[in-house]
Amino acid sequence: MPVQPSNHLEWNESMHSLRISVGGLPVLASMTKAADPRFRPRWKVILPSFVGAAVLWLLYSHRPPPGRPPIPNAHNWRLGQAPADRYNDTYPLSAPQRTPGGTRYRIAVIADLDTESRAQEENTWFSYLKKGHLTLSDSGDKVAVEWDKGHEVLESHLAEKGRGMELSELIVFNGRLYSVDDRTGVIYQIDGTKAVPWVILSDGDGTVGKDAGRVATYILAFTLDGRFLLPETKIGNVKYEGIEFI
């Protein structure tokens, strides 16, 4: 004879519910309700947990194996740069100094000698680099400039139609000092007393007017509201065009 189950259905319960004994533990299954509130999914808890797990999975799946650098992309391109390739934002190159008269800065001007830049030596052109100090008073209402004695001579053998080293700009970039020859389009890196060609930017036909009369360069400083902090002061009898804090 078949063995009778040890637990029987209790028909005295409501026809809408069924009590079943499983392993000696009663379980109630409701046949009238779509879902018991105790077993409803708690989405406020489940959804954040699911999103968090998905993010962790994505991070782990895109993590490179040990010993391998990450693949460069638009988001991590800086990570692949060696320290020597990163931009050097040092400015100015020389640290400002605190003095009783105010803050002292190192400055320089570069000369554009036009047709006078040709040297006596064959295939040689030159320019002047003059350095000094600019002091801004603590109150910000006065500027003083002191120039070093003499000037440095920068030479190059690059020219265009017999003209070269007409340097019209002086700028600090990536931790170095550069100047631009507006005749040849050569950008020079100023390394001490050497003008080292860096890149060439050619533009236009290079024609310029040919410079009559005396030439001189002056420096002055004023505020945006028109107050003069430094009166017009002569630098020299050549045309200095570029100026920079160095």
Side-chain angles (χ1 to χ4, degrees), residues 174-186:
N174 196 23
R176 297 180 177 87
L177 184 63
Y178 294 95
S179 187
V180 181
D181 183 352
D182 65 8
R183 182 69 186 185
T184 63
V186 176

Side-chain angles (χ1 to χ4, degrees), residues 50-94:
F50 175 78
V51 172
V55 170
L56 290 175
W57 180 83
L58 288 174
L59 291 175
Y60 182 81
S61 63
H62 287 79
R63 184 178 180 182
R68 289 185 58 188
I71 299 175
N73 57 53
H75 302 287
N76 69 359
W77 66 271
R78 289 184 181 274
L79 298 178
Q81 290 183 311
D85 296 332
R86 294 177 182 171
Y87 178 73
N88 183 348
D89 60 358
T90 301
Y91 186 84
L93 298 178
S94 304

Side-chain angles (χ1 to χ4, degrees), residues 90-97 104-107 133 172 245-246:
T90 301
Y91 186 84
L93 298 178
S94 304
Q97 300 175 342
R104 196 167 183 243
Y105 300 90
R106 188 68 165 155
I107 63 172
H133 289 90
V172 168
F245 292 89
I246 62 172

